[in-house]
Amino acid sequence: MIRTTLITTLALAATLAIAQTPGVQPNDIDHTIKPGDDFYLYANGAWLNRTVLPPDRVAMGSFSIVADKTDKQVAAIIDAAAKANAATGTNQRMIADLYHAYMDEAAIEHNGMTSLKPQLAAIAAIKDQRELARALGQSIRNDTDALNNTNFHTGNIFGLWVAPGFQDSDHYAPYLMQGGVLLPDRAYYLDDSEHMKSIRDAYVKHVAAIFKLAGFTDPDTRAAKVIALEHAIAEAHIALADNEDIHKANNLWQASDFATKAPGLDWAEFFRASGLSTQKTMYVWQPTAITGESALVVSQPLDAWKDWLALHLIDTYGAALPKAIADERFAFFGTTLSGAPQQRPREQRAIATVNNVLGDAVGQLYADRYFPPAARAKAQAMVSNLLAAFHKRLEAIDWMDPATKAEAIKKLDALYVGVGYADHWRSYNRLEIKPDDLLGDLQSSDLFEYQYALSRIGKPVDRHEWCMEPQTVNAVNLPLNNGLNFPAAILQPPFFDAAAPDSSNYGAIGSVIGHEISHTFDSEGAEFDSKGQVRKWWTDADYAHFKQVTGALAAQFDTYEPYPGVHVNGRQTLGEDIADLGGLAASYDAFHASLHGKPAMPVDGLDGDQQFYLAFSQIWRTKIREAAERRQVLTDPHAPGHYRAETVRNFDAWYKAFNIQPTDKLYLAPDQRVHIW
């Protein structure tokens, strides 16, 4: 899959307030380290040494500097919305009411489990497999984005994703995904390392504690049954690296196929309850997992499934439940799994919730206030330069058949690039938000998003659609749309600064833009044509060459070992690594084209190329807790920032800029340096 977000799914939240001068930060360089031995530590060592993680952070880095600033900007928007006293149903009123609902801890404690009791009672009353199928269907939500690794291992039995069809990219189609586990990946259930065993032991205690706090009898027995069921589900799952193969995911089943290909679950009842009964076809991303999970519906005890449903319902809305449950949930998922000693301040969590539920409502106000047309124009000009550089690189390729090259250029020319914000905004007219019912608000929002997703199935695709809001510090490639999104929030220092030299801007935001463009031709992007349809448009010889070269890049990343016995999975991170490689190459070309034959201005004794590569390395700086990094290596398609920064070892210009010698640890012989585009 092409999961193209630039940062790990671990939130690189806020960081210490550090005054940023335009461009590369020389004071962050550690001159005791040779750049050829560890370029990441050379570029960032001084910053890493002086930076201390606050107790409510699992990680900090360049992205979090911008995220912290953006959170303050959103806080100002929320404050203004609260003071506006806007009419009920307006975006401003909903923003203010949702924030108030999150901050009203007294109301949350007073409401307690009241809103969930009817649902929990309905679960307890399930008496047969048909009613179980109905309950499983009613619980499904639009909680998965297969190509961007969003909630990939959904807590529902299956995840639903509505997107352009693999075989018909002009219309939206439903995709069914493996789900059903609360731990981040199947390895957390199946890996026999001591580290994983300790997490499983803690998980047993956590699940029992949740049942006890929610008022269930015999919590230890219930916990054991649920975890045994999740273990069986995890055994049916396929590994993250295997999900990267689009062709294995391109399975269009007829509605009648489910009963024969995945017997066990009463599919007719499941589809009726989920609102999918009218669908004649559906894509099944992991057929073996769907088949395995369906079989478990009848092979596992009914009581285990009922307790599983109850636990997953409580977990989904844990943040809106009484403090004891919310704290227990954080103690496991926040501390045990990610290593954070304490939660982020409540107001920051409230801001994150408002962004999540009312993203476009906040985004429209954010774009108006913080992203003027002039800033958008500058960013669009840089995008144009990067596209031109990539175009030249494609034209210059000597290993690609002319027909394949023509298709590649056609795809690049058709690429939609959205900068700052979308051309139109979502309407929340049918969503009700109450200022004193956080749980009800979150449930209403989930149902609203699910119904919106269902309403799009079969309709024409909007190729200018965004999947991120302007206040998101990130960027994304949408392969089924053949499009890119660069939200306004990432177009700030240290990524982009109008006062910084081109050398720094191209090394930082330029490499980000190039990264997303390059995803158009990464290990999965290469499977999609100019219209976003899965189609073979390479010759066999070209594709064989591509696989050989990218295989060498995967092998390079396989050697990285952040902890003893914990290796980066080069196959799992390959799409992102290809994008880093191609993006940095195109941005370097665009940087030099911007000089128009003149030398770059030196800054603090650093020449232009040195500034360029240092700026690239410095955007990947990350201070991260061990538990969080271990989780990233297992569950994220992005390698840790340390190794992404060392992509530079494949570039001849980097060797020249820093006088890298064969005796240096990062040195690669010229024939071992990976060049793709």
Side-chain angles (χ1 to χ4, degrees):
M1 265 175 304
I2 309 175
R3 284 180 295 266
T4 57
T5 48
L6 290 174
I7 58 175
T8 170
T9 51
L10 302 168
L12 299 186
T15 187
L16 304 176
I18 301 174
Q20 293 289 310
T21 56
V24 169
Q25 301 297 298
N27 292 336
D28 295 342
I29 297 173
D30 186 345
H31 293 282
T32 68
I33 296 174
K34 293 177 63 178
D37 284 345
D38 193 320
F39 191 64
Y40 173 81
L41 291 181
Y42 167 75
N44 301 296
W47 180 86
L48 290 164
N49 289 335
R50 69 170 181 265
T51 300
V52 178
L53 280 176
D56 63 344
R57 303 288 187 265
V58 300
M60 286 169 33
S62 293
F63 282 86
S64 60
I65 293 172
V66 184
D68 186 38
K69 177 181 178 181
T70 303
D71 277 353
K72 292 178 181 177
Q73 293 168 333
V74 173
I77 289 171
I78 293 172
D79 184 59
K83 293 175 179 176
N85 196 26
T88 300
T90 62
N91 283 354
Q92 283 186 305
R93 184 75 270 150
M94 286 192 287
I95 289 169
D97 285 350
L98 181 57
Y99 182 82
H100 184 274
Y102 198 101
M103 296 301 295
D104 193 348
E105 296 179 81
I108 293 172
E109 293 298 321
H110 178 265
N111 294 339
M113 298 280 292
T114 302
S115 296
L116 287 187
K117 284 182 179 178
Q119 293 167 271
L120 292 171
I123 291 171
I126 293 172
K127 61 180 181 296
D128 56 34
Q129 298 297 331
R130 185 182 182 192
E131 292 184 356
L132 173 60
R134 184 185 308 148
L136 291 171
Q138 290 170 341
S139 70
I140 193 171
R141 289 293 180 265
N142 182 46
D143 58 0
T144 301
D145 183 339
L147 292 181
N148 291 296
N149 198 32
T150 304
N151 293 336
F152 185 63
H153 293 293
T154 174
N156 300 320
I157 184 172
F158 304 122
L160 181 75
W161 184 47
V162 175
F166 278 162
Q167 299 175 29
D168 176 11
S169 61
D170 290 327
H171 297 89
Y172 291 106
Y175 292 75
L176 205 63
M177 316 289 297
Q178 66 185 17
V181 295
L182 292 181
L183 292 180
D185 183 79
R186 69 193 299 270
Y188 282 80
Y189 296 89
L190 309 179
D191 191 320
D192 285 332
S193 69
E194 291 303 315
H195 175 71
M196 288 303 194
K197 287 179 181 177
S198 69
I199 288 178
R200 286 197 291 272
D201 289 343
Y203 186 49
V204 171
K205 295 175 183 176
H206 164 69
V207 174
I210 289 292
F211 277 128
K212 183 176 181 180
L213 289 168
F216 284 74
T217 59
D218 204 3
D220 292 334
T221 300
R222 292 177 189 270
K225 289 190 296 183
V226 168
I227 291 172
L229 175 55
E230 287 194 357
H231 185 277
I233 292 172
E235 288 183 315
H237 278 194
I238 67 174
L240 178 58
D242 292 323
N243 280 283
E244 303 298 315
D245 190 336
I246 290 296
H247 294 289
K248 291 181 180 178
N250 187 10
N251 308 289
L252 188 62
W253 286 13
Q254 301 294 319
S256 58
D257 289 337
F258 285 86
T260 54
K261 293 183 176 181
L265 177 65
D266 184 336
W267 286 101
E269 190 65 23
F270 176 85
F271 286 139
R272 273 194 295 271
S274 62
L276 293 165
S277 59
T278 62
Q279 299 309 311
K280 296 180 179 179
T281 59
M282 186 176 298
Y283 289 94
V284 177
W285 198 285
Q286 308 98 345
T288 57
I290 301 302
T291 297
E293 290 188 61
S294 180
L296 292 173
V297 172
V298 291
S299 67
Q300 295 291 309
L302 183 62
D303 284 346
W305 277 109
K306 290 162 66 173
D307 287 336
W308 177 94
L309 277 165
L311 174 70
H312 284 232
L313 176 64
I314 295 167
D315 174 81
T316 297
Y317 298 107
L321 295 176
K323 187 175 186 298
I325 292 177
D327 286 351
E328 169 57 37
R329 189 169 176 270
F330 174 79
F332 178 73
F333 289 102
T335 302
T336 301
L337 278 186
S338 299
Q342 69 184 47
Q343 294 198 70
R344 298 182 67 188
R346 190 167 190 87
E347 58 269 21
Q348 293 182 12
R349 288 179 274 149
I351 290 171
T353 298
V354 173
N355 274 329
N356 183 54
V357 173
L358 298 169
D360 265 24
V362 175
Q364 188 171 3
L365 297 171
Y366 182 91
D368 288 343
R369 181 179 292 197
Y370 297 111
F371 197 61
R376 193 183 200 196
K378 288 182 179 179
Q380 287 171 329
M382 183 169 267
V383 168
S384 296
N385 293 341
L386 265 294
L387 287 170
F390 212 99
H391 200 287
K392 288 182 179 179
R393 295 189 76 86
L394 286 177
E395 289 178 331
I397 290 175
D398 59 5
W399 55 266
M400 187 176 275
D401 183 88
T404 308
K405 184 184 294 189
E407 285 285 343
I409 292 173
K410 178 181 177 182
K411 186 176 183 184
L412 184 68
D413 289 342
L415 188 68
Y416 162 71
V417 183
V419 176
Y421 48 87
D423 295 327
H424 54 82
W425 306 98
R426 284 278 304 278
S427 170
Y428 297 94
N429 288 340
R430 296 185 180 182
L431 175 62
E432 183 180 10
I433 297 294
K434 298 179 180 179
D436 57 355
D437 185 10
L438 179 62
L439 177 58
D441 292 342
L442 297 184
Q443 289 188 303
S444 295
S445 172
D446 286 347
L447 183 59
F448 172 81
E449 292 295 338
Y450 183 67
Q451 291 172 340
Y452 172 73
L454 293 184
S455 73
R456 298 203 302 166
I457 296 175
K459 292 183 178 178
V461 168
D462 175 6
R463 299 202 179 278
H464 291 183
E465 178 186 27
W466 278 58
C467 74
M468 289 181 171
E469 291 78 30
Q471 67 274 26
T472 305
V473 185
N474 217 324
V476 68
N477 180 294
L478 303 169
L480 287 165
N481 295 55
N482 194 28
L484 314 178
N485 297 167
F486 296 102
I490 200 172
L491 299 170
Q492 304 180 78
F495 295 96
F496 177 70
D497 188 339
D502 281 348
S503 53
S504 294
N505 277 331
Y506 277 97
I509 195 63
S511 67
V512 171
I513 295 169
H515 172 105
E516 297 305 339
I517 295 172
S518 187
H519 266 307
T520 308
F521 307 100
D522 71 5
S523 51
E524 279 75 39
E527 307 289 355
F528 297 86
D529 66 14
S530 60
K531 293 185 65 177
Q533 186 167 327
V534 175
R535 180 174 68 85
K536 181 181 177 182
W537 52 274
W538 296 65
T539 67
D540 290 340
D542 287 342
Y543 199 67
H545 175 90
F546 179 73
K547 296 293 284 186
Q548 178 184 3
V549 177
T550 57
L553 186 63
Q556 187 180 117
F557 275 77
D558 281 340
T559 65
Y560 297 137
E561 187 179 17
Y563 303 100
V566 178
H567 284 264
V568 173
N569 183 335
R571 185 163 154 255
Q572 177 178 304
T573 65
L574 183 58
E576 300 301 327
D577 302 332
I578 293 171
D580 283 342
L581 187 71
L584 191 60
S587 191
Y588 180 83
D589 287 355
F591 160 53
H592 276 271
S594 74
L595 296 174
H596 302 292
K598 299 178 182 178
M601 289 291 294
V603 176
D604 293 308
L606 300 168
D607 66 28
D609 280 14
Q610 289 172 328
Q611 294 171 56
F612 174 86
Y613 288 115
L614 282 167
F616 172 74
S617 183
Q618 288 187 346
I619 67 170
W620 296 117
R621 60 175 55 164
T622 308
K623 187 87 169 185
I624 186 169
R625 299 188 190 278
E626 180 176 337
E629 190 166 30
R630 284 177 174 270
R631 176 177 175 178
Q632 179 187 356
V633 170
L634 275 176
T635 66
D636 201 295
H638 307 78
H642 190 143
Y643 309 116
R644 298 185 73 172
E646 294 188 345
T647 299
V648 296
R649 65 195 301 217
N650 293 291
F651 291 89
D652 298 343
W654 173 74
Y655 286 81
K656 181 179 179 181
F658 292 94
N659 192 30
I660 308 303
Q661 299 299 313
T663 53
D664 293 336
K665 294 177 182 178
L666 288 179
Y667 181 87
L668 292 172
D671 62 348
Q672 294 179 317
R673 299 168 196 170
V674 179
H675 304 284
I676 303 173
W677 304 113

